Amino acid sequence: MQQIKIAVAQFRGGQSVAANLATCVRLMGQASKQATQMIFFPEASDFIGNPSDEAWALSHPLHLSGPFLEGLCAEAEQLGIWCSVGIHEQSPHLGRLYNTHVLISDQGSIVESYHKIHLFDVDIAHGPRLMESKNTVAGNKLVRPVRTPVGKVGLGICYDLRFPELALALRRQGAEILTYPSAFTIKTGEAHWEVLLRSRAIETQSYVVAAAQVGQHSEKRFSYGHAMIVDPWGQVVAECDGEEEGIAVAPVDLSMLERIRTEMPVMNHRRYDIFP
């Protein structure tokens, strides 16, 4: 039986859509050569660090795709590989965007999209001040897990990682893989990144895949990196090195996932009479 493998990507996105697309295409090629069935890209893979007026001009409504998504879809079809990616999407509110997670099939078609529910409004002492809600419209619904060749994939984005109720809701809907394309700040990444990813994996008994932006994007924007894959037992099974661009690959063993869920059926033990 062919082993199911996935790849998680890490790179330093910049303000050029064309350059970021070229990076993603290159990493997709590397993943394909390692016989992976799906690759996961970071949040804001299309561009990052741009002024808000420029961000609107570079974005498109999802049904119009734009050059970045069109390029990814074409490459996914060419290589026969599924793709998860975070992008900016024009909302119906002029000048304000959705932070969107898109799933692309190996036929090159967009099969699902999710708008980030939890927006990152944080003012860190001696650190960055990031008010995502200033230019971003929050999503208002979960998206049911999507059946893919590597398992049923539940969609989140970056800051969503801090909210276990989202992960638990996706697990109840059948998710086997939770994915969080991200651009974590360095300070929060150093303190919380790995422990949050492992916690979401342990409590939902699911694979957790977190692609990551890394390095300096602009004068004031830096990302932590350390893209990783965590298995349902909470073990980090693949991780990108430090600040280097690249991918990390790991197998997905759904029989192991089912064994863990059967032997320790935590979802059956939840007290919904006390915690709705």
Side-chain angles (χ1 to χ4, degrees):
M1 181 180 296
Q2 183 184 13
Q3 187 181 58
I4 299 174
K5 291 195 294 184
I6 59 175
V8 65
Q10 170 174 293
F11 70 94
R12 182 180 63 83
Q15 298 179 345
S16 167
V17 172
N20 295 331
L21 174 59
T23 297
C24 290
V25 167
R26 182 169 61 253
L27 295 175
M28 287 178 80
Q30 293 178 19
S32 179
K33 288 179 181 177
Q34 296 192 49
T36 63
Q37 284 96 326
M38 188 167 186
I39 184 169
F40 296 79
F41 286 113
E43 178 183 28
S45 283
D46 50 352
F47 59 86
I48 189 169
N50 307 57
S52 58
D53 56 342
E54 185 177 308
W56 174 263
L58 290 172
S59 303
H60 305 269
L62 197 61
H63 69 277
L64 296 179
S65 296
F68 182 81
L69 276 184
E70 288 174 359
L72 276 192
C73 287
E75 193 67 14
E77 182 179 20
Q78 176 70 25
L79 297 175
I81 188 172
W82 281 64
C83 175
S84 154
V85 63
I87 63 160
H88 300 82
E89 177 192 351
Q90 285 185 358
S91 80
H93 308 278
L94 184 64
R96 301 184 72 209
L97 303 169
Y98 290 124
N99 188 335
T100 302
H101 184 167
V102 175
L103 279 190
I104 300 169
S105 77
D106 56 358
Q107 302 299 308
S109 60
I110 295 172
V111 296
E112 190 56 273
S113 64
Y114 159 78
H115 296 147
K116 187 179 183 184
I117 290 174
H118 303 98
L119 300 185
F120 187 64
D121 285 356
V122 177
D123 190 353
I124 300 173
H126 311 296
R129 182 178 186 271
L130 296 170
M131 303 300 291
E132 189 175 15
S133 63
K134 181 179 179 181
N135 301 303
T136 304
V137 179
N140 58 14
K141 64 178 182 180
L142 294 180
V143 171
R144 292 192 68 86
V146 178
R147 188 180 297 276
T148 77
V150 302
K152 296 176 185 175
V153 177
L155 308 183
I157 301 175
C158 198
Y159 192 51
D160 286 332
L161 175 61
R162 292 184 178 273
F163 300 89
E165 56 270 27
L166 184 150
L168 291 166
L170 290 170
R171 162 70 203 274
R172 286 195 296 271
Q173 293 180 356
E176 296 163 319
I177 298 173
L178 303 176
T179 181
Y180 300 93
S182 295
F184 252 57
T185 67
I186 291 176
K187 186 170 184 177
T188 58
E190 289 175 343
H192 300 151
W193 176 247
E194 182 177 327
V195 70
L196 283 170
L197 292 171
R198 295 182 67 192
S199 295
R200 298 297 83 85
I202 292 167
E203 69 199 5
T204 65
Q205 300 172 313
S206 303
Y207 282 91
V208 171
V209 185
Q213 292 278 358
V214 66
Q216 183 174 1
H217 312 290
S218 63
E219 183 179 346
K220 296 182 179 180
R221 187 72 184 268
F222 298 79
S223 294
Y224 178 63
H226 296 272
M228 65 177 63
I229 301 170
V230 184
D231 74 13
W233 195 243
Q235 300 300 306
V236 178
V237 292
E239 181 177 1
C240 291
D241 293 333
E243 296 186 2
E244 297 297 319
E245 172 190 300
I247 62 171
V249 175
V252 172
D253 185 348
L254 296 180
S255 64
M256 181 265 280
L257 177 147
E258 286 303 321
R259 184 173 66 253
I260 290 171
R261 292 181 176 186
T262 299
E263 293 176 352
M264 191 181 294
V266 294
M267 296 300 283
N268 296 340
H269 301 153
R270 304 194 77 83
R271 289 293 304 273
Y272 295 110
D273 57 324
I274 300 174
F275 308 107

